[in-house]
Amino acid sequence: MSQDSGNFEKQLREALGREDAPAGFAARVLAAAAAEKQVRVMPVAVAKLPKLPKQSWMQRPFALAIAATIAALAIVPAVVLDYQRREEARGMKAKQDLMVALSITKNQLQQARAKVQRSSRNTQ
Amino acid sequence: MMKRIVFGIAVALSFVPALAAQEFDFKALDKIGANASSSTNITLDGDTLRMAAGFLGGVQDKDAANVKSLVANLKAIYVRSYEFEKPGQYNEADLAPLRAYLKQPAWKAIIDVREKQESTQVYLLPSPNNKLAGVAVVSTEPTQVTIVYVNGTLEMSDLQKLSGTMGIPDIRQLDMVKPADGKTDKKAK
């Protein structure tokens, strides 16, 4: 019994005893740590993602629609106002021409009537 | 057979006013004004007449209402008036195309006054229902030529409006500043 317990103690001491690291162990650990650092700085997964084509704002229909709406809102009132102004100027010019035309017509008809009256008086 | 002939004549006669009413090309008169010291060229087509009428006074303005009713059925108004510094600066022959146009049977000369070197003719284009389809005035003096052609449906009463004082201002009251073609730039005397 005492011999058995003596063997056991011996085995236990051997198992728990200090054992030196194998040769080159420290160097391998340092190399692994350095490699891990590099992976953190530039993860392989991100680095390998395919690059998406860069879209300009003009290729985005929604942005384009908003831009067009803003442009229209800015331009339409000015165009309408300009059109109204031109139409009014045309109308005023047409009115002036009409009054001149009618006045000349009236003047000519009155002169013709006066000439007829004058010539009929002369014949009498 | 007789019926067909009568029908044919009726159809032909119905076209006479239409043919007479065909537009006269006023470009044919451009030569007259070549030496003019001042000229007034006004061409108002149907759309322009209606636009002008829209710019006349409101419903309560009686004069404006008269003018509006006058131009309501007009197709066009043409006025050509030329003044010359000296006699002999226009050729009477340049008026020949217009005189030929107004000599068509559909036109009736109601006034034809010739005095020395002046002449004035007033022509009417009668249309059915005692209406007129046009009025033309040709007046020549040694230093002045005036042509007026009113094209469109007119009542006889409209003729009185045209020659009277109802709604139409006197020529002396108007500043004749650059009408239609912008040639004239003078004050009415």
Side-chain angles (χ1 to χ4, degrees):
Chain A
M1 185 76 180
S2 61
Q3 195 181 349
D4 286 345
S5 63
N7 281 340
F8 176 75
E9 277 176 21
K10 189 185 172 190
Q11 283 172 359
L12 190 66
R13 214 175 285 127
E14 280 173 4
L16 296 175
R18 184 188 166 100
E19 193 178 340
D20 290 333
F25 178 78
R28 283 203 301 276
V29 169
L30 285 172
E36 196 181 347
K37 258 186 190 174
Q38 271 186 349
V39 168
R40 274 186 196 156
V41 169
M42 193 174 162
V44 175
V46 174
K48 284 185 180 174
L49 272 178
K51 274 191 177 178
L52 290 171
K54 204 175 182 182
Q55 273 188 324
S56 80
W57 65 273
M58 286 189 78
Q59 288 169 307
R60 295 173 193 163
F62 186 67
L64 201 63
I66 289 176
T69 307
I70 291 168
L73 286 174
I75 291 167
V76 167
V79 171
V80 169
L81 205 68
D82 184 56
Y83 176 76
Q84 281 177 342
R85 211 175 292 145
R86 280 165 192 257
E87 283 297 291
E88 199 175 323
R90 270 184 62 206
M92 293 307 287
K93 177 82 173 64
K95 178 189 162 185
Q96 188 193 9
D97 285 351
L98 173 64
M99 296 319 283
V100 171
L102 291 178
S103 300
I104 290 173
T105 307
K106 175 182 144 178
N107 188 265
Q108 290 301 312
L109 290 171
Q110 285 179 345
Q111 279 184 14
R113 196 162 54 189
K115 282 180 183 177
V116 168
Q117 287 170 351
R118 202 165 54 219
S119 67
S120 63
R121 242 181 275 136
N122 289 343
T123 51
Q124 280 171 2
Chain B
M1 183 67 183
M2 192 63 187
K3 275 185 182 176
R4 281 186 182 177
I5 291 169
V6 170
F7 178 74
I9 291 169
V11 169
L13 285 174
S14 69
F15 278 108
V16 169
L19 288 171
Q22 274 180 352
E23 295 293 313
F24 175 77
D25 187 4
F26 275 81
K27 284 181 182 168
L29 301 176
D30 284 352
K31 276 191 274 179
I32 301 172
N35 299 317
S37 57
S38 75
S39 61
T40 303
N41 285 8
I42 297 176
T43 300
L44 296 164
D45 61 13
D47 290 340
T48 314
L49 283 170
R50 269 168 282 290
M51 177 183 257
F55 279 80
L56 292 170
V59 187
Q60 292 177 344
D61 187 339
K62 203 177 169 185
D63 286 347
N66 272 327
V67 176
K68 275 183 185 177
S69 75
L70 182 67
V71 302
N73 298 312
L74 295 185
K75 291 179 192 165
I77 298 179
Y78 303 90
V79 174
R80 301 288 183 270
S81 185
Y82 307 104
E83 280 185 35
F84 303 89
E85 283 181 0
K86 292 180 285 183
Q89 286 192 306
Y90 72 88
N91 191 350
E92 176 66 33
D94 292 338
L95 281 167
L98 180 66
R99 292 203 190 279
Y101 175 78
L102 295 170
K103 269 196 178 160
Q104 291 178 97
W107 284 93
K108 307 290 173 207
I110 58 159
I111 293 177
D112 188 354
V113 187
R114 289 166 201 270
E115 303 173 323
K116 294 179 184 173
Q117 293 174 302
E118 295 180 15
S119 79
T120 301
Q121 290 85 38
V122 178
Y123 301 87
L124 299 181
L125 181 63
S127 74
N129 301 324
N130 209 25
K131 289 183 179 176
L132 298 171
V135 178
V137 183
V138 182
S139 173
T140 59
E141 293 176 24
T143 58
Q144 194 170 341
V145 176
T146 303
I147 297 143
V148 173
Y149 176 29
V150 180
N151 181 10
T153 306
L154 289 161
E155 302 283 343
M156 286 297 178
S157 59
D158 291 334
L159 205 58
Q160 286 180 321
K161 283 182 196 172
L162 267 175
S163 59
T165 54
M166 293 164 73
I168 301 169
D170 197 275
I171 190 71
R172 290 169 190 82
Q173 296 166 0
L174 289 171
D175 284 346
M176 291 164 64
V177 181
K178 287 191 178 177
D181 71 344
K183 260 192 161 181
T184 295
D185 194 1
K186 67 166 190 175
K187 295 271 182 188
K189 288 169 195 166

